[in-house]
Amino acid sequence: GAVVSQHPSRVICKSGTSVKIECRSLDFQATTMFWYRQFPKQSLMLMATSNEGSKATYEQGVEKDKFLINHASLTLSTLTVTSAHPEDSSFYICSARVRSGVSYNEQFFGPGTRLTVL
Amino acid sequence: KNEVEQSPQNLTAQEGEFITINCSYSVGISALHWLQQHPGGGIVSLFMLSSGKKKHGRLIATINIQEKHSSLHITASHPRDSAVYICAVSPQGGSEKLVFGKGTKLTVNP
């Protein structure tokens, strides 16, 4: 159980376009999802915390108008990179926090989305 | 100084060897997590623990709250164990954010 999926797994786009990444909890409800970015050989960096039905909380230095987060249901959060530029090329990972059962408060991670902006 | 320190940064072992990866942290925590990241990038949650010891297959995780230290052990290591192992902590105080170590890159040679 506790599977998190992401789609797409890999995307290449032209500079200036927008890209949407989906994060789904497949077998549990996730009131809170987290979006991370990871540059090569670096650790994960939290971008924002997404709570179902409310606005996301962004970390310092992360532009909320550029990285739009929507958490419309208990199983789906989306991250849209608007007007993408080459410097946005990175590995984006989501995680979902379990709020019930034996895995209470554990975070489960998606497989990640590799974004390349040309 | 990072709040979560891992050692070693890189580790190369021969198949069958016993592996230990260490994690020290400087903040009060409600839980500590061990994660595994394979070369493709996907992350798997191995353990979440707040005290004592947990075992899953060939993996064992221990934590000493007083010493603010945790270890991840791999018995009878195998090339498929090659990955980056990341220690992360959930700070006390109700913060939802994980604080990550920089990871330990493990390579197990056949």
Side-chain angles (χ1 to χ4, degrees), chain A residues 59-108:
Chain A
E59 294 300 298
Q60 194 172 9
V62 178
E63 299 175 57
K64 62 180 180 182
D65 294 330
K66 180 168 183 62
F67 298 100
L68 300 178
I69 292 173
N70 185 282
H71 193 156
S73 77
L74 287 171
T75 59
L76 173 64
S77 176
T78 60
L79 167 68
T80 302
V81 183
T82 62
S83 188
H85 288 281
E87 57 264 31
D88 298 323
S89 298
S90 187
F91 191 61
Y92 292 86
I93 307 173
C94 72
S95 72
R97 192 172 70 174
V98 178
R99 296 298 275 170
S100 65
V102 295
S103 299
Y104 180 76
N105 217 27
E106 191 164 356
Q107 283 193 32
F108 292 91

Side-chain angles (χ1 to χ4, degrees), chain A residues 33 35 47-51 53-59 64 67-71 77-78:
Chain A
M33 289 184 173
W35 286 97
M47 299 175 66
T49 302
S50 167
N51 290 298
S54 63
K55 290 183 179 180
T57 303
Y58 290 82
E59 294 300 298
K64 62 180 180 182
F67 298 100
L68 300 178
I69 292 173
N70 185 282
H71 193 156
S77 176
T78 60

